[in-house]
Amino acid sequence: MSAHGAVRAFIGSFTSAGGRGITVAAVDRDTGALTPLASTEVVADPSYLAVGRASETGNTLLYTVSETSEGAVAAFAVDEDGTPRLLGDVRPVDGSSPTHLSLAADHLLTANYGSGSVTALPVLSDGSPGPAACVLRHEGSGPDASRQEGPHAHQVLADPSGKWVLSVDLGTDSVRVCVLDPRTGALRQHDETALRPGTGPRHLAFHPSGGHAYVLNELEPTVTVCRWDAAAGRLEPVGETPVLPHDAYAEDGEGRTYPSELVVSHDGRFLWTANRGHDSISVLTLDETAEKPVLAAAVGCGGHWPRDLALDPTGQWLYAANERSGNVGWFAVDAETGIPTHVGSVDVPAASCVVFA
């Protein structure tokens, strides 16, 4: 592995829809091109991935959810040739349909969409997950009867300070701020930030400064801008910006757009969103306040139904995992405008996530 850029990409996919599970690809840092090397289907529906490091050896570890009704997580050691090898046991998360996972304070955290909960599992000495230590269940609902009949946790991640854990809930139109006990894995809710009813928050990303967070809404194609107070553990909404021109999407019916993922540039000047339905990548510019995103452009995603968007560690290449067209496209990012230009793609059936190591 090189500190100057990624040499491996790991791509998750839905095995239940014909995906190959986890695909490992080589990354050409000069062209952005992905070349698949190997794949494994040992875990069903590994829809979201996270990369970690073994504490003793520093070797790359790969973690995945199993987005099934039973819900599970697994860890993989990554061999020299990039092939993932199952490490330890596949562990239940005591929740259904986990859609996201992340690492925090020697624990693996999952957001369980189906059961509306967050699970903390300890990371054992070999890097594999132990049995679930805590399940924090969300409560509440929203005005969209078909999507918000109850809580639906969609993402969980640590804030940049490492002091707090935030969980984004589509069903309750809110973001919860929690405390994670690193010794026991116990999760305790500290605060809950209400967002506009019916927006359906899906994912959150922090500005590089750490003072702001952007929440991408799935049920309305908007980004909610929030101030983040790491000292107090408080998230404060201060504005909302559309990610598409209003005439570019339908508010209901077949033409409806469902944003899926957002990425902030390393220098904090740009914000990109992936938009399912409209099948586009939106570019929003950020000023020095970081509070006033301006929609600058929307370009085609290079496929159909972009479920994930990822920026490589160099910040030069943007990748869209297009689930329904079964491909991952890569884009060269213009350093001045932030506008991505489609360069190429590779076939990955039912692609759902891209991470780098």
Side-chain angles (χ1 to χ4, degrees):
M1 302 295 172
S2 167
H4 300 292
V7 294
R8 290 287 184 269
F10 301 96
I11 306 166
S13 66
F14 287 97
T15 56
S16 59
R20 304 185 187 112
I22 299 171
T23 296
V24 183
V27 182
D28 186 320
R29 283 174 286 169
D30 294 326
T31 66
L34 302 181
T35 302
L37 302 173
S39 62
T40 176
E41 298 181 33
V42 69
V43 172
D45 289 344
S47 65
Y48 201 88
L49 312 173
V51 172
R53 295 280 181 186
S55 57
E56 295 182 357
T57 65
N59 292 337
T60 299
L61 299 177
L62 186 67
Y63 297 92
T64 182
V65 299
S66 177
E67 192 179 332
T68 60
S69 57
E70 296 81 10
V73 292
F76 292 84
V78 182
D79 294 335
E80 285 296 321
D81 63 358
T83 302
R85 174 173 41 83
L86 187 64
L87 186 65
D89 295 325
V90 177
R91 297 285 190 181
V93 298
D94 297 341
S96 65
S97 302
T99 56
H100 186 270
L101 82 169
S102 62
L103 292 158
D106 296 322
H107 283 78
L108 191 62
L109 306 174
T110 68
N112 310 314
Y113 182 87
S115 53
S117 60
V118 171
T119 303
L121 305 95
V123 175
L124 304 180
S125 59
D126 66 351
S128 66
C134 178
V135 179
L136 180 65
R137 303 190 184 282
H138 294 180
E139 295 182 357
S141 59
D144 187 326
S146 65
R147 296 292 307 278
Q148 297 183 309
E149 78 295 343
H152 291 300
H154 213 300
Q155 184 196 37
V156 59
L157 76 167
D159 84 307
S161 76
K163 184 178 179 181
W164 310 99
V165 168
L166 286 78
S167 60
V168 183
D169 196 301
L170 184 150
T172 63
D173 291 317
S174 63
V175 179
R176 288 165 176 79
V177 180
C178 302
V179 178
L180 171 66
D181 187 322
R183 296 176 300 103
T184 66
L187 284 162
R188 174 179 58 82
Q189 184 171 313
H190 166 76
D191 196 21
E192 183 175 2
T193 299
L195 303 182
R196 185 165 60 83
T199 52
R202 178 183 172 97
H203 278 196
L204 174 155
F206 284 95
H207 190 273
S209 68
H212 291 84
Y214 308 96
V215 182
L216 182 64
N217 300 308
E218 177 174 333
L219 301 185
E220 290 193 18
T222 59
V223 167
T224 302
V225 181
C226 302
R227 292 176 187 151
W228 171 242
D229 183 343
R234 295 284 187 270
L235 192 69
E236 177 192 1
V238 294
E240 196 175 304
T241 301
V243 300
L244 291 171
H246 187 74
D247 60 2
Y249 64 92
E251 295 184 359
D252 52 34
E254 290 186 7
R256 193 169 177 182
T257 291
Y258 300 92
S260 59
E261 183 60 290
L262 77 167
V263 176
V264 182
S265 65
H266 300 328
D267 61 9
R269 294 172 56 220
F270 305 108
L271 172 67
W272 299 281
T273 73
N275 311 307
R276 296 170 298 177
H278 193 256
D279 288 344
S280 63
I281 299 171
S282 293
V283 184
L284 293 90
T285 59
L286 297 167
D287 65 9
E288 62 277 1
T289 71
E291 292 188 358
K292 299 174 182 177
V294 176
L295 178 62
V299 302
C301 67
H304 180 33
W305 211 250
R307 186 180 178 90
D308 190 37
L309 197 62
L311 189 66
D312 87 308
T314 71
Q316 299 177 72
W317 306 99
L318 197 61
Y319 295 80
N322 297 310
E323 180 185 351
R324 294 184 181 175
S325 55
N327 69 298
V328 175
W330 55 91
F331 300 76
V333 175
D334 187 297
E336 294 301 318
T337 66
I339 295 175
T341 299
H342 186 256
V343 177
S345 68
V346 63
D347 289 342
V348 183
S352 58
C353 176
V354 181
V355 296
F356 298 94

